[in-house]
Amino acid sequence: SLKMASDSPESLMTLCTDYCLRNLEGTLCYLLDNETLRLHPDIFLPSEICDKLVNEYVELVKTDSIFEPHESFFTLFSDPRSTRLARIHLREQIVQDQDLEAIRKQDLVELYLTNCEKLTAKSLQTLVSFSHTLISLSLFGCCNIFYEEENPGGCEDDCLVNPTRQVLVKDFTFEGFSRLRFLNLGRLIEGVNVETLLRPLASLAALDLSGIQLNDVGFLTQWKDSLVSLVLYNMDLSEEHIQVIAQLHKLRHLDISRDHLSSYYKFKLTRRVLNLFVENLVNLTSLDISGHTMLENCTIPSMEEKMGQTSIEPAKSSIAPFRGLKRPLQFLGLFETSLCRLTHIPAYKVSGDKNEEQVLNAIEAYTEHRPEITSRAINLLFDIARIERCSQLLRALQLVITALKCHKDDKNIQVTGSAALFYLTNSEYRMEQSVKLRRQVIQVVLNGMESYQEVTVQRNCCLTLCNFSIPEELEFQYRRVNELLLNILNQSRQDESIQRIAVHLCNALVCQVDNDHKEAVGKMGFVMTMLKLIQKKLADKTCDQVMEFSWSALWNITDETPDNCEMFLNYSGMKLFLECLKEFPEKQELHRNMLGLLGNVAEVKELRPQLMTSQFISVFSNLLESKADGIEVSYNACGVLSHIMFDGPEAWGICEPHREEVVKRMWAAIQSWDINSRRNINYRSFEPILRLLPQGISPVSQHWATWALYNLVSVYPDKYCPLLIKEGGIPLLKDMIEMASARQETKEMARKVIEHCSNFKEENMDTSR
């Protein structure tokens, strides 16, 4: 079912909600006085839609950097006559006192506030507005909601220094919340009297007191006939606590787990305590004792433990106290305890660190409220993905994505999560992943890069992007991914390995994409960034992958994109070209990339005059003799000169070297190349080559163009014969054969090109009837 869930398209409801939230003005709202959002007067929305709008809005603000939050968003739901809210989940800094205040007339049934640190005691008063309808309430991690600001009396100089101070509210209770059944007060601030706060609640069914230290929990027995779920995560327990818990005979879920790293706990779990729970809490279906140290041996002798097939039958339990269970537990939390490694555990679902299933159960159970545990569980998953093969890949990926989205600002989760993603998206798992799932991975990776400037996160994220087909799979986030990579490359202090991966990605992103993409990236400062990297490497006298990739990226981004070619010249690109040639005379790969780029510049008529200097022409002419990288450097140098020659003798504005002398060297170079050379080049269009055919001003340029076509259609007929035919090359070649000015050998070669293409066409004709 998970596979189906991840592959199925979004529901129409989700798509519409997303569209409306991204276009509030054009859909549900209008702007009053150019600043305040107002709902159109004829709109009436039921709670199913309003709840989704609010919950999705919170999600978008949290996880989509492009989405702009609206100051007045919550005021859209202020009038219950046009909008109804019932169940909403608000998170973190997104929500402020005035937002809750705006919806106070709504009859909320469920309100989850998670880590909303901006809420103060003003919001406690707003909660009272919902008191008659609320059934579920969470104030988890809202650490300031019991504080109010108070002006100190006798306001003299003190007001200027300390105009307000934070005071703990002590008189608030849940008086009047007659329907409240589910309450989460996790990480409540010290000093609030929990007993007084809760006493008015008549029949609590579920209570979460995570991270609160209470020495006396005797008051819990007032709900012994109603309480079915109790969470006391990270509470330091004592014998008194245990005696109270044992009286809560209706409990179905009990969580006394702890983070064994967070502080020193005196309490140790014993066989007697577990026996007490099993005997008294007869309805128990879920128990979490993760992180506990077991004082005495709760396990049965190891010989017996290993016997028989793995079983979840309580009678065979390796944990002795659980032999008294009437039936297996639905869930048993044993993460970071020695018990999870035993053979027979009487539970359908176990969280632990023994194997993939246990680790995934741990991530699933703890992500929402326990990032400190989740990051350690993801770290275990990372090891499994790295060393073994993941058997529940889709579940693993979805859980890691959820954790990364949920804890965008948690360094540990961002580091371990981004590392796990790298292994979970690599090629061996590729076939099992849908487009939708892979897009979700890309989104969280980019979120991580955006919100975390930390070296490890940046490196992990860049490496993960390398697991995708570039540019195809990244195209839906094209601008954003380029901006992030350029941002990494523009940082003054740069980690060498990240720089290398980022330049590699940049290069891959501008290869094989449309010209408007290339122009857009050029405008973002791509050309300038690459030249700065080259400048830095030159200063260090290093020619490494970063240097080569940077020139390669410039070659790709200038392909048939005159604006970027012009930028290259304007930012002293030619100066760097000459300096690199001089500094690294032996670096063949580098020469090929640099000349490929200059070939693109030379194709732009308006820019060619800037190449027309004695120094440049001499350099290009000398490179005609280069044997670097097969024929590539010589071929590209000849291409640059062919375009310059095509402008005719009157454009030759220099005395040295003579035009005729250069022409002679070009003929000699072309005649020395092997026509069957395999090529290190990729043409998307022949247009720049074809324009050199119908002219009589430079027969050598005509010959270079014909040679290029002949070589490509002979060596790669499947790719280049159709391209030449499609772009109208055949009639141009036929016309050239009739031209008096064309050389005999050029005409011979042109005939061979035409012959190649017609043979190719005949071979590929579909003759089946």
Side-chain angles (χ1 to χ4, degrees), residues 15-65:
L15 293 170
C16 292
T17 308
D18 188 71
Y19 183 80
C20 288
L21 287 169
R22 291 178 190 278
N23 303 279
L24 279 171
E25 245 184 282
T27 53
L28 306 171
C29 305
Y30 64 95
L31 262 194
L32 184 68
D33 309 331
N34 268 345
E35 53 177 359
T36 316
L37 276 175
R38 281 276 187 272
L39 215 55
H40 283 299
D42 54 350
I43 283 183
F44 302 93
L45 299 171
S47 61
E48 291 82 357
I49 291 176
C50 294
D51 289 350
K52 199 155 173 62
L53 282 168
V54 169
N55 295 333
E56 282 300 310
Y57 170 82
V58 171
E59 187 65 17
L60 277 176
V61 174
K62 203 173 163 330
T63 58
D64 189 335
S65 61

Short mmCIF file of all heavy atoms in Angstrom, two decimals, residues 15-65:
data_model
loop_
_atom_site.label_atom_id
_atom_site.label_comp_id
_atom_site.label_asym_id
_atom_site.label_seq_id
_atom_site.Cartn_x
_atom_site.Cartn_y
_atom_site.Cartn_z
N LEU A 15 -4.63 19.49 -4.85
CA LEU A 15 -4.16 20.38 -5.92
C LEU A 15 -4.86 21.73 -5.87
O LEU A 15 -4.24 22.78 -6.03
CB LEU A 15 -4.39 19.72 -7.29
CG LEU A 15 -3.54 18.48 -7.57
CD1 LEU A 15 -4.02 17.77 -8.84
CD2 LEU A 15 -2.07 18.85 -7.72
N CYS A 16 -6.17 21.69 -5.62
CA CYS A 16 -6.94 22.95 -5.56
C CYS A 16 -6.51 23.80 -4.36
O CYS A 16 -6.35 25.01 -4.47
CB CYS A 16 -8.44 22.67 -5.47
SG CYS A 16 -9.09 21.96 -6.98
N THR A 17 -6.33 23.12 -3.22
CA THR A 17 -5.90 23.84 -2.01
C THR A 17 -4.56 24.53 -2.28
O THR A 17 -4.38 25.71 -1.98
CB THR A 17 -5.72 22.85 -0.83
OG1 THR A 17 -6.91 22.08 -0.70
CG2 THR A 17 -5.46 23.58 0.46
N ASP A 18 -3.64 23.77 -2.84
CA ASP A 18 -2.31 24.31 -3.12
C ASP A 18 -2.40 25.51 -4.06
O ASP A 18 -1.80 26.56 -3.84
CB ASP A 18 -1.44 23.21 -3.74
CG ASP A 18 0.01 23.64 -3.87
OD1 ASP A 18 0.68 23.74 -2.84
OD2 ASP A 18 0.46 23.90 -5.00
N TYR A 19 -3.23 25.36 -5.11
CA TYR A 19 -3.36 26.46 -6.09
C TYR A 19 -3.96 27.71 -5.43
O TYR A 19 -3.47 28.82 -5.62
CB TYR A 19 -4.23 26.01 -7.27
CG TYR A 19 -4.33 27.09 -8.32
CD1 TYR A 19 -3.29 27.28 -9.23
CD2 TYR A 19 -5.43 27.96 -8.37
CE1 TYR A 19 -3.34 28.30 -10.17
CE2 TYR A 19 -5.49 28.97 -9.31
CZ TYR A 19 -4.44 29.14 -10.21
OH TYR A 19 -4.48 30.17 -11.12
N CYS A 20 -5.01 27.51 -4.64
CA CYS A 20 -5.65 28.66 -3.98
C CYS A 20 -4.69 29.38 -3.04
O CYS A 20 -4.61 30.61 -3.01
CB CYS A 20 -6.89 28.22 -3.20
SG CYS A 20 -8.26 27.76 -4.28
N LEU A 21 -3.91 28.59 -2.27
CA LEU A 21 -2.98 29.21 -1.32
C LEU A 21 -1.87 29.99 -2.02
O LEU A 21 -1.42 31.02 -1.55
CB LEU A 21 -2.35 28.13 -0.41
CG LEU A 21 -3.29 27.54 0.64
CD1 LEU A 21 -2.66 26.32 1.29
CD2 LEU A 21 -3.67 28.57 1.70
N ARG A 22 -1.46 29.49 -3.17
CA ARG A 22 -0.40 30.19 -3.91
C ARG A 22 -0.95 31.38 -4.68
O ARG A 22 -0.20 32.22 -5.16
CB ARG A 22 0.31 29.22 -4.87
CG ARG A 22 1.14 28.17 -4.14
CD ARG A 22 1.79 27.20 -5.12
NE ARG A 22 2.38 26.07 -4.46
CZ ARG A 22 3.59 26.06 -3.88
NH1 ARG A 22 4.33 27.15 -3.90
NH2 ARG A 22 4.05 24.97 -3.29
N ASN A 23 -2.28 31.41 -4.85
CA ASN A 23 -2.89 32.51 -5.61
C ASN A 23 -4.11 33.04 -4.86
O ASN A 23 -5.20 33.14 -5.43
CB ASN A 23 -3.33 32.02 -6.99
CG ASN A 23 -2.18 31.41 -7.78
OD1 ASN A 23 -1.38 32.11 -8.36
ND2 ASN A 23 -2.09 30.09 -7.75
N LEU A 24 -3.93 33.38 -3.59
CA LEU A 24 -5.08 33.80 -2.77
C LEU A 24 -5.83 34.96 -3.41
O LEU A 24 -7.04 34.99 -3.46
CB LEU A 24 -4.61 34.17 -1.36
CG LEU A 24 -4.41 32.98 -0.42
CD1 LEU A 24 -3.74 33.42 0.86
CD2 LEU A 24 -5.72 32.27 -0.11
N GLU A 25 -5.04 35.92 -3.91
CA GLU A 25 -5.67 37.11 -4.50
C GLU A 25 -6.51 36.80 -5.72
O GLU A 25 -7.56 37.37 -5.94
CB GLU A 25 -4.58 38.10 -4.91
CG GLU A 25 -4.62 39.38 -4.12
CD GLU A 25 -3.58 40.34 -4.66
OE1 GLU A 25 -2.38 40.17 -4.33
OE2 GLU A 25 -3.96 41.24 -5.42
N GLY A 26 -6.04 35.85 -6.51
CA GLY A 26 -6.78 35.55 -7.74
C GLY A 26 -7.91 34.57 -7.54
O GLY A 26 -8.70 34.32 -8.44
N THR A 27 -8.01 33.96 -6.33
CA THR A 27 -9.04 32.93 -6.13
C THR A 27 -10.04 33.34 -5.05
O THR A 27 -11.10 33.85 -5.35
CB THR A 27 -8.38 31.58 -5.78
OG1 THR A 27 -7.51 31.78 -4.67
CG2 THR A 27 -7.60 31.02 -6.95
N LEU A 28 -9.68 33.15 -3.78
CA LEU A 28 -10.65 33.35 -2.70
C LEU A 28 -10.72 34.79 -2.20
O LEU A 28 -11.68 35.19 -1.55
CB LEU A 28 -10.27 32.47 -1.50
CG LEU A 28 -10.08 30.97 -1.76
CD1 LEU A 28 -9.50 30.29 -0.53
CD2 LEU A 28 -11.42 30.34 -2.13
N CYS A 29 -9.66 35.56 -2.49
CA CYS A 29 -9.53 36.85 -1.79
C CYS A 29 -9.33 38.03 -2.73
O CYS A 29 -9.04 37.88 -3.91
CB CYS A 29 -8.31 36.81 -0.87
SG CYS A 29 -8.37 35.44 0.28
N TYR A 30 -9.47 39.21 -2.14
CA TYR A 30 -9.07 40.45 -2.82
C TYR A 30 -8.24 41.25 -1.82
O TYR A 30 -8.25 40.96 -0.62
CB TYR A 30 -10.29 41.24 -3.30
CG TYR A 30 -11.19 41.75 -2.19
CD1 TYR A 30 -11.04 43.05 -1.69
CD2 TYR A 30 -12.19 40.95 -1.63
CE1 TYR A 30 -11.86 43.53 -0.67
CE2 TYR A 30 -13.01 41.41 -0.61
CZ TYR A 30 -12.84 42.70 -0.13
OH TYR A 30 -13.64 43.17 0.89
N LEU A 31 -7.51 42.25 -2.31
CA LEU A 31 -6.67 43.06 -1.42
C LEU A 31 -7.41 44.34 -1.07
O LEU A 31 -7.78 45.12 -1.96
CB LEU A 31 -5.36 43.41 -2.12
CG LEU A 31 -4.13 42.56 -1.80
CD1 LEU A 31 -2.88 43.26 -2.31
CD2 LEU A 31 -3.96 42.27 -0.32
N LEU A 32 -7.56 44.58 0.21
CA LEU A 32 -8.20 45.82 0.66
C LEU A 32 -7.09 46.84 0.92
O LEU A 32 -6.11 46.53 1.59
CB LEU A 32 -8.98 45.53 1.95
CG LEU A 32 -9.78 46.69 2.53
CD1 LEU A 32 -10.95 47.04 1.62
CD2 LEU A 32 -10.31 46.32 3.91
N ASP A 33 -7.25 48.05 0.38
CA ASP A 33 -6.23 49.11 0.54
C ASP A 33 -4.83 48.62 0.17
O ASP A 33 -3.84 49.01 0.82
CB ASP A 33 -6.18 49.62 2.00
CG ASP A 33 -7.54 50.00 2.52
OD1 ASP A 33 -8.37 50.40 1.69
OD2 ASP A 33 -7.78 49.88 3.74
N ASN A 34 -4.77 47.75 -0.82
CA ASN A 34 -3.47 47.23 -1.30
C ASN A 34 -2.63 46.50 -0.27
O ASN A 34 -1.45 46.28 -0.48
CB ASN A 34 -2.63 48.39 -1.88
CG ASN A 34 -2.89 48.50 -3.36
OD1 ASN A 34 -3.44 47.58 -3.96
ND2 ASN A 34 -2.49 49.61 -3.95
N GLU A 35 -3.22 46.15 0.91
CA GLU A 35 -2.37 45.42 1.86
C GLU A 35 -3.08 44.30 2.61
O GLU A 35 -2.48 43.27 2.89
CB GLU A 35 -1.69 46.38 2.84
CG GLU A 35 -2.65 47.31 3.55
CD GLU A 35 -1.93 48.19 4.57
OE1 GLU A 35 -0.72 48.06 4.72
OE2 GLU A 35 -2.62 48.99 5.23
N THR A 36 -4.37 44.47 2.95
CA THR A 36 -5.02 43.45 3.76
C THR A 36 -5.81 42.48 2.90
O THR A 36 -6.61 42.90 2.06
CB THR A 36 -6.00 44.12 4.76
OG1 THR A 36 -5.34 45.25 5.32
CG2 THR A 36 -6.37 43.16 5.88
N LEU A 37 -5.60 41.18 3.13
CA LEU A 37 -6.37 40.18 2.40
C LEU A 37 -7.78 40.11 2.97
O LEU A 37 -7.96 40.07 4.19
CB LEU A 37 -5.72 38.80 2.57
CG LEU A 37 -4.56 38.44 1.65
CD1 LEU A 37 -3.99 37.11 2.07
CD2 LEU A 37 -4.99 38.38 0.19
N ARG A 38 -8.76 40.09 2.08
CA ARG A 38 -10.15 39.93 2.51
C ARG A 38 -10.80 38.83 1.68
O ARG A 38 -10.56 38.73 0.48
CB ARG A 38 -10.94 41.23 2.28
CG ARG A 38 -10.69 42.29 3.33
CD ARG A 38 -11.59 42.05 4.54
NE ARG A 38 -11.49 43.15 5.48
CZ ARG A 38 -10.59 43.22 6.45
NH1 ARG A 38 -9.71 42.25 6.59
NH2 ARG A 38 -10.56 44.25 7.28
N LEU A 39 -11.64 38.02 2.33
CA LEU A 39 -12.35 36.97 1.63
C LEU A 39 -13.44 37.60 0.76
O LEU A 39 -14.11 38.55 1.20
CB LEU A 39 -13.01 36.06 2.67
CG LEU A 39 -13.09 34.58 2.37
CD1 LEU A 39 -11.72 34.01 2.05
CD2 LEU A 39 -13.68 33.85 3.57
N HIS A 40 -13.64 37.11 -0.46
CA HIS A 40 -14.75 37.62 -1.28
C HIS A 40 -16.07 37.40 -0.52
O HIS A 40 -16.27 36.34 0.07
CB HIS A 40 -14.81 36.89 -2.63
CG HIS A 40 -13.77 37.38 -3.59
ND1 HIS A 40 -13.71 38.67 -4.02
CD2 HIS A 40 -12.72 36.73 -4.18
CE1 HIS A 40 -12.68 38.82 -4.85
NE2 HIS A 40 -12.06 37.66 -4.95
N PRO A 41 -16.96 38.38 -0.55
CA PRO A 41 -18.18 38.30 0.28
C PRO A 41 -19.10 37.13 -0.08
O PRO A 41 -19.91 36.72 0.74
CB PRO A 41 -18.88 39.64 0.01
CG PRO A 41 -18.24 40.20 -1.21
CD PRO A 41 -16.86 39.65 -1.28
N ASP A 42 -18.97 36.58 -1.27
CA ASP A 42 -19.91 35.51 -1.65
C ASP A 42 -19.32 34.11 -1.40
O ASP A 42 -19.79 33.12 -1.94
CB ASP A 42 -20.30 35.66 -3.13
CG ASP A 42 -19.07 35.70 -4.03
OD1 ASP A 42 -17.95 35.81 -3.48
OD2 ASP A 42 -19.22 35.64 -5.26
N ILE A 43 -18.25 34.05 -0.59
CA ILE A 43 -17.61 32.74 -0.36
C ILE A 43 -18.06 32.14 0.98
O ILE A 43 -18.04 32.81 2.00
CB ILE A 43 -16.08 32.88 -0.41
CG1 ILE A 43 -15.63 32.99 -1.87
CG2 ILE A 43 -15.38 31.69 0.26
CD1 ILE A 43 -14.17 33.07 -2.10
N PHE A 44 -18.49 30.87 0.93
CA PHE A 44 -18.87 30.14 2.14
C PHE A 44 -18.19 28.77 2.08
O PHE A 44 -18.43 28.02 1.13
CB PHE A 44 -20.40 29.96 2.22
CG PHE A 44 -21.11 31.28 2.19
CD1 PHE A 44 -21.56 31.83 0.99
CD2 PHE A 44 -21.30 32.01 3.37
CE1 PHE A 44 -22.19 33.06 0.95
CE2 PHE A 44 -21.94 33.26 3.33
CZ PHE A 44 -22.39 33.78 2.13
N LEU A 45 -17.34 28.49 3.05
CA LEU A 45 -16.55 27.25 2.97
C LEU A 45 -16.77 26.38 4.20
O LEU A 45 -16.71 26.86 5.34
CB LEU A 45 -15.05 27.59 2.88
CG LEU A 45 -14.61 28.40 1.66
CD1 LEU A 45 -13.15 28.82 1.83
CD2 LEU A 45 -14.78 27.61 0.38
N PRO A 46 -16.99 25.07 4.00
CA PRO A 46 -17.18 24.16 5.14
C PRO A 46 -15.84 23.85 5.82
O PRO A 46 -14.77 24.14 5.28
CB PRO A 46 -17.75 22.90 4.48
CG PRO A 46 -17.17 22.92 3.10
CD PRO A 46 -17.08 24.38 2.71
N SER A 47 -15.91 23.21 6.99
CA SER A 47 -14.68 22.97 7.76
C SER A 47 -13.70 22.05 7.03
O SER A 47 -12.50 22.20 7.18
CB SER A 47 -15.02 22.41 9.14
OG SER A 47 -15.69 21.18 9.00
N GLU A 48 -14.21 21.09 6.22
CA GLU A 48 -13.28 20.19 5.50
C GLU A 48 -12.30 21.02 4.67
O GLU A 48 -11.12 20.70 4.59
CB GLU A 48 -14.04 19.24 4.55
CG GLU A 48 -14.88 18.20 5.22
CD GLU A 48 -16.25 18.72 5.67
OE1 GLU A 48 -16.53 19.93 5.51
OE2 GLU A 48 -17.03 17.92 6.17
N ILE A 49 -12.83 22.05 4.03
CA ILE A 49 -11.98 22.87 3.16
C ILE A 49 -11.14 23.85 3.99
O ILE A 49 -9.94 24.00 3.77
CB ILE A 49 -12.84 23.61 2.11
CG1 ILE A 49 -13.40 22.58 1.12
CG2 ILE A 49 -12.03 24.68 1.39
CD1 ILE A 49 -14.34 23.14 0.09
N CYS A 50 -11.77 24.50 4.97
CA CYS A 50 -11.04 25.50 5.77
C CYS A 50 -9.89 24.86 6.55
O CYS A 50 -8.78 25.40 6.59
CB CYS A 50 -11.98 26.20 6.75
SG CYS A 50 -13.19 27.21 5.89
N ASP A 51 -10.16 23.69 7.17
CA ASP A 51 -9.09 23.01 7.91
C ASP A 51 -7.91 22.73 6.99
O ASP A 51 -6.75 22.94 7.35
CB ASP A 51 -9.60 21.66 8.46
CG ASP A 51 -10.59 21.84 9.60
OD1 ASP A 51 -10.73 22.99 10.08
OD2 ASP A 51 -11.23 20.85 10.01
N LYS A 52 -8.23 22.24 5.79
CA LYS A 52 -7.15 21.89 4.85
C LYS A 52 -6.38 23.14 4.43
O LYS A 52 -5.15 23.11 4.32
CB LYS A 52 -7.74 21.16 3.63
CG LYS A 52 -6.67 20.38 2.87
CD LYS A 52 -7.24 19.24 2.09
CE LYS A 52 -6.21 18.57 1.21
NZ LYS A 52 -5.08 17.97 1.89
N LEU A 53 -7.10 24.24 4.19
CA LEU A 53 -6.42 25.48 3.80
C LEU A 53 -5.43 25.92 4.89
O LEU A 53 -4.28 26.27 4.60
CB LEU A 53 -7.44 26.60 3.54
CG LEU A 53 -8.18 26.55 2.20
CD1 LEU A 53 -9.37 27.52 2.20
CD2 LEU A 53 -7.24 26.88 1.04
N VAL A 54 -5.89 25.91 6.14
CA VAL A 54 -5.02 26.36 7.23
C VAL A 54 -3.84 25.40 7.42
O VAL A 54 -2.68 25.83 7.50
CB VAL A 54 -5.82 26.50 8.55
CG1 VAL A 54 -4.87 26.72 9.74
CG2 VAL A 54 -6.79 27.67 8.45
N ASN A 55 -4.12 24.11 7.45
CA ASN A 55 -3.04 23.14 7.70
C ASN A 55 -2.02 23.11 6.56
O ASN A 55 -0.81 23.01 6.79
CB ASN A 55 -3.62 21.74 7.95
CG ASN A 55 -4.46 21.71 9.22
OD1 ASN A 55 -4.22 22.49 10.15
ND2 ASN A 55 -5.44 20.83 9.29
N GLU A 56 -2.52 23.23 5.32
CA GLU A 56 -1.60 23.25 4.17
C GLU A 56 -0.79 24.55 4.15
O GLU A 56 0.38 24.56 3.76
CB GLU A 56 -2.37 23.12 2.85
CG GLU A 56 -2.81 21.70 2.55
CD GLU A 56 -1.64 20.73 2.44
OE1 GLU A 56 -0.68 21.03 1.72
OE2 GLU A 56 -1.68 19.69 3.11
N TYR A 57 -1.43 25.64 4.56
CA TYR A 57 -0.73 26.94 4.61
C TYR A 57 0.48 26.83 5.55
O TYR A 57 1.59 27.24 5.22
CB TYR A 57 -1.71 28.02 5.09
CG TYR A 57 -1.06 29.34 5.41
CD1 TYR A 57 -0.75 30.25 4.40
CD2 TYR A 57 -0.74 29.69 6.73
CE1 TYR A 57 -0.15 31.47 4.69
CE2 TYR A 57 -0.14 30.91 7.03
CZ TYR A 57 0.16 31.79 6.01
OH TYR A 57 0.76 33.00 6.29
N VAL A 58 0.24 26.25 6.73
CA VAL A 58 1.33 26.09 7.71
C VAL A 58 2.45 25.24 7.12
O VAL A 58 3.63 25.55 7.23
CB VAL A 58 0.77 25.47 9.02
CG1 VAL A 58 1.92 25.09 9.97
CG2 VAL A 58 -0.19 26.43 9.70
N GLU A 59 2.05 24.17 6.44
CA GLU A 59 3.03 23.27 5.82
C GLU A 59 3.84 24.00 4.75
O GLU A 59 5.08 23.87 4.67
CB GLU A 59 2.25 22.09 5.20
CG GLU A 59 3.09 20.96 4.65
CD GLU A 59 3.90 20.21 5.69
OE1 GLU A 59 3.62 20.33 6.91
OE2 GLU A 59 4.85 19.53 5.29
N LEU A 60 3.16 24.80 3.92
CA LEU A 60 3.85 25.53 2.84
C LEU A 60 4.83 26.55 3.40
O LEU A 60 5.96 26.66 2.93
CB LEU A 60 2.84 26.22 1.93
CG LEU A 60 2.20 25.36 0.83
CD1 LEU A 60 1.15 26.16 0.08
CD2 LEU A 60 3.25 24.85 -0.15
N VAL A 61 4.38 27.30 4.40
CA VAL A 61 5.27 28.32 4.97
C VAL A 61 6.52 27.63 5.52
O VAL A 61 7.63 28.13 5.40
CB VAL A 61 4.57 29.11 6.11
CG1 VAL A 61 5.55 30.06 6.80
CG2 VAL A 61 3.39 29.90 5.57
N LYS A 62 6.31 26.46 6.09
CA LYS A 62 7.41 25.77 6.75
C LYS A 62 8.38 25.12 5.76
O LYS A 62 9.58 25.11 5.98
CB LYS A 62 6.80 24.69 7.65
CG LYS A 62 7.71 24.26 8.78
CD LYS A 62 6.97 23.35 9.70
CE LYS A 62 7.88 22.57 10.59
NZ LYS A 62 9.18 22.22 10.15
N THR A 63 7.84 24.59 4.67
CA THR A 63 8.73 23.76 3.83
C THR A 63 8.98 24.31 2.43
O THR A 63 9.75 23.73 1.69
CB THR A 63 8.16 22.34 3.67
OG1 THR A 63 6.86 22.43 3.09
CG2 THR A 63 8.06 21.63 4.99
N ASP A 64 8.33 25.40 2.05
CA ASP A 64 8.54 25.90 0.68
C ASP A 64 9.08 27.32 0.73
O ASP A 64 8.36 28.27 1.01
CB ASP A 64 7.20 25.86 -0.09
CG ASP A 64 7.42 26.15 -1.57
OD1 ASP A 64 8.42 26.81 -1.90
OD2 ASP A 64 6.58 25.73 -2.38
N SER A 65 10.37 27.44 0.43
CA SER A 65 11.03 28.74 0.59
C SER A 65 10.45 29.81 -0.34
O SER A 65 10.56 31.00 -0.09
CB SER A 65 12.51 28.59 0.30
OG SER A 65 12.64 28.15 -1.04
#
